[in-house]
Amino acid sequence: MAKTQSRFICQNCGAEYRKWTGRCEGCGEWNSIEEERVEKGPKAAGGIAGGAKGKTIDFVALEGQSASPPRMISGIAELDRACGGGLVPGSALLVGGDPGIGKSTILLQAVGAMAAKHKCAYISGEEAIDQVRMRAARLGLSKTKVDFAAATSLRDIITTLEASSHEVVVIDSIQTMYADTLDSAPGTVSQVRACALELIRLAKRRGFAILLVGHVTKEGQIAGPRVLEHMVDTVLYFEGERGHQFRILRAVKNRFGATDEIGVFEMGDAGLVEVPNPSALFLADRDSPVSGTAVFAGLEGTRPMLVEIQALVAQSALATPRRAVVGWDSARMNMILAVLDARCGLALGQFDVYLNVAGGLRVGEPAADMAVAAALISAVADKPVPNETVIVGEIGLSGEVRPVGQLESRLKEATKLGFGNAYTPKNGMQAKKKMSIKGLNQTEIGHLQDLVNLFGDDVRDKVRPREGMY
Ligand code: TYD
Ligand code: MG
């Protein structure tokens, strides 16, 4: 007999409790536990003992004829790139991102572009028909053959899709979908889990690609349990700073392609426009060199990308100086400050330090360490990094500069954009001979101290402790 029971489920991590507590022991979140009613079926065929026997499964060799999956190309190159080369039929893709970042816009544009070749459906649980029509008109997609519906009932959607021949289905968003077999409200962990599971199962069975929109929590994770990310084949995050028009679609998981691949867009009056050459965009508006900026030769997925890192170091009026970081890991910046202090005698303890990655990009690579350090030293010394210089290198705790991956493609991108100098780590063991790139003057830096020295001998004098300190 099926029986309904109350369970207390953490809305953050999905941990289950028998009674309510204020703080989830699983993830440490406060006030995230809510009561949900779950239906408990009869216990599944009584463990190993008891119950009917299953049938034996067949094992096969790893070698065999499995063609690589066919792809449905949207024609929006940056989106196809983030998906690893187009949508795979029968696969599930989750798009997460802050509200208003452009998830609905990009997916409407995607189905609009694909509708000529594939039968596409867009099901919205968030917006009314008129709203979506208005958006479609704005995007110039009114004439495309996309089947649109506003619906939230999982039962209705499944019934409809069961009988339809759609090849691409967008569900905007999974948090608004509602399974009437469950008592809990839409958006709760059990609802999200159940709806996603049903829809993905159907997609696999009927062979259509399903694109789910997922809301993110204030911590930036897709709301609902992490299990949602496990259930789908591909997870894309749509990121970007408010106030910047750049949007980045980042693949954080992809069963059919490389992760860390990104697509870059610009939000304009007519929706999202792809940016084929993002380096130029992130470096735009650079005038004559100013102190406190450094250009990092980064790598996003397989794509080299130059970004500007800006630092500001100012005398602090506070007992505990301020540290603020936008677009990079703040713990990593503190580490670099500590290394500058301990290994190079550049003590910035009494200064406020601000760090910013220009253009609203988020850099995750440790290879940016040396560019960050250069921006900091340049800010302290009040001397600009030499003109047309890119910097790359990871910094170890002893101050040594460590080699980074794919140095060559990073530096090639730099020369393409007219940079003539590069500060790089010493070549690693893999590359025996010194790499030489035409038109690029490469300075190898083995220790952070060498980088400090490049800014002159008087850098340290600028950070002499105030009278009475220490
Ligand atoms: P939307 O796709 O609704 O975001 P999400 O689904 O992630 O919540 O994006 C809406 C934002 O994008 C809104 O702030 C307006 C802006 N926008 C434009 O600037 N230009 C456009 O052509 C469109 C359609 C939206
Ligand atoms: Mg939306």
Side-chain angles (χ1 to χ4, degrees):
M1 255 298 282
K3 196 164 101 194
T4 319
Q5 281 185 352
S6 259
R7 276 270 181 276
F8 294 86
I9 300 182
C10 170
Q11 302 296 309
N12 190 43
C13 70
E16 267 191 38
Y17 298 90
R18 287 187 169 276
K19 56 181 206 260
W20 190 86
T21 54
R23 182 169 190 244
C24 172
E25 282 167 26
C27 63
E29 188 71 13
W30 288 94
N31 233 346
S32 63
I33 293 172
E34 277 182 28
E35 184 174 5
E36 291 187 18
R37 299 176 77 73
V38 284
E39 204 153 293
K40 288 269 161 191
K43 259 224 162 2
I48 301 167
K53 262 194 178 165
K55 57 180 195 293
T56 43
I57 49 173
D58 294 329
F59 291 106
V60 294
L62 286 178
E63 195 183 7
Q65 292 291 321
S66 298
S68 65
R71 301 274 188 172
M72 290 183 278
I73 311 286
S74 71
I76 303 175
E78 294 292 305
L79 176 69
D80 292 334
R81 170 204 289 274
C83 306
L87 294 176
V88 177
S91 72
L93 189 146
L94 179 66
V95 180
D98 290 332
I101 203 86
K103 302 181 292 295
S104 309
T105 307
I106 188 72
L107 292 180
L108 191 60
Q109 284 183 276
V111 286
M114 278 195 276
K117 280 203 223 120
H118 304 281
K119 200 162 150 49
C120 301
Y122 187 103
I123 299 171
S124 178
E126 306 209 324
E127 288 157 305
I129 293 179
D130 286 341
Q131 272 174 302
V132 176
R133 279 195 179 140
M134 252 156 60
R135 185 196 306 244
R138 189 170 171 185
L139 298 173
L141 298 173
S142 299
K143 294 271 184 311
T144 51
K145 278 188 279 169
V146 177
D147 294 330
F148 176 73
T152 54
S153 160
L154 182 71
R155 193 182 292 277
D156 298 350
I157 293 171
I158 297 271
T159 311
T160 312
L161 294 179
E162 198 68 85
S164 77
S165 60
H166 288 110
E167 290 166 88
V168 181
V169 176
V170 174
I171 303 287
D172 187 3
S173 65
I174 190 68
Q175 275 86 5
T176 52
M177 296 299 138
Y178 179 72
D180 52 16
T181 46
L182 298 178
D183 272 346
S184 40
T188 51
V189 173
S190 15
Q191 281 285 358
V192 168
R193 202 185 297 185
C195 293
L197 195 64
E198 281 297 317
L199 287 165
I200 292 168
R201 256 196 219 144
L202 183 69
K204 297 243 183 290
R205 188 149 46 84
R206 306 271 316 166
F208 60 81
I210 190 155
L211 301 141
L212 306 171
V213 172
H215 289 175
V216 296
T217 59
K218 59 181 186 304
E219 286 82 29
Q221 283 180 355
I222 291 175
R226 264 276 146 110
V227 287
L228 200 53
E229 294 189 22
H230 290 297
M231 281 195 274
V232 297
D233 300 302
T234 306
V235 180
L236 302 180
Y237 270 92
F238 212 11
E239 6 171 284
E241 292 287 331
R242 281 284 164 102
H244 280 294
Q245 68 273 44
F246 316 126
R247 301 283 183 268
I248 289 147
L249 198 58
R250 188 186 293 275
V252 292
K253 162 181 174 178
N254 196 349
R255 288 190 184 141
F256 303 109
T259 50
D260 275 340
E261 204 60 89
I262 71 168
V264 183
F265 298 89
E266 200 172 346
M267 178 64 97
D269 287 340
L272 291 151
V273 186
E274 359 172 5
V275 177
N277 186 359
S279 291
L281 185 102
F282 290 119
L283 292 179
D285 307 329
R286 275 168 58 81
D287 314 321
S288 54
V290 282
S291 64
T293 67
V295 177
F296 164 53
L299 199 68
E300 291 288 349
T302 56
R303 169 153 61 178
M305 193 174 300
L306 303 189
V307 278
E308 183 178 308
I309 294 184
Q310 307 171 334
L312 180 68
V313 175
Q315 275 294 350
S316 180
L318 305 168
T320 315
R322 208 184 286 271
R323 301 272 183 266
V325 185
V326 178
W328 207 52
D329 183 13
S330 58
R332 196 103 198 152
M333 184 185 77
N334 287 333
M335 187 200 92
I336 290 179
L337 290 174
V339 175
L340 278 172
D341 185 345
R343 308 289 177 194
C344 310
L346 209 62
L348 300 180
Q350 49 173 330
F351 294 94
D352 287 337
V353 180
Y354 302 89
L355 193 81
N356 176 39
V357 176
L361 188 70
R362 218 197 129 67
V363 177
E365 275 189 293
D369 289 353
M370 192 151 78
V372 169
L376 291 169
I377 302 165
S378 158
V380 174
D382 197 15
K383 272 190 196 158
V385 174
N387 220 350
E388 307 299 332
T389 306
V390 293
I391 303 177
V392 60
E394 181 179 340
I395 293 172
L397 285 183
S398 65
E400 86 276 15
V401 178
R402 308 165 67 100
V404 298
Q406 308 206 33
L407 185 59
E408 194 167 343
S409 54
R410 294 171 195 261
L411 297 184
K412 280 198 174 135
E413 173 80 359
T415 47
K416 245 195 279 172
L417 286 154
F419 284 77
N421 304 305
Y423 293 171
T424 65
K426 287 214 158 60
N427 272 335
M429 296 295 276
Q430 309 95 321
K432 288 264 159 32
K433 64 177 184 347
K434 190 169 181 276
M435 186 172 43
S436 79
I437 289 173
K438 226 175 119 209
L440 193 77
N441 180 7
Q442 198 180 330
T443 311
E444 291 190 342
I445 292 179
H447 193 277
L448 191 52
Q449 182 67 59
D450 305 339
L451 183 69
V452 176
N453 293 344
L454 288 176
F455 287 87
D457 301 329
D458 55 342
V459 181
R460 236 167 271 121
D461 297 335
K462 307 221 168 163
V463 295
R464 286 258 177 270
R466 273 176 291 184
E467 287 294 313
M469 275 191 82
Y470 306 122

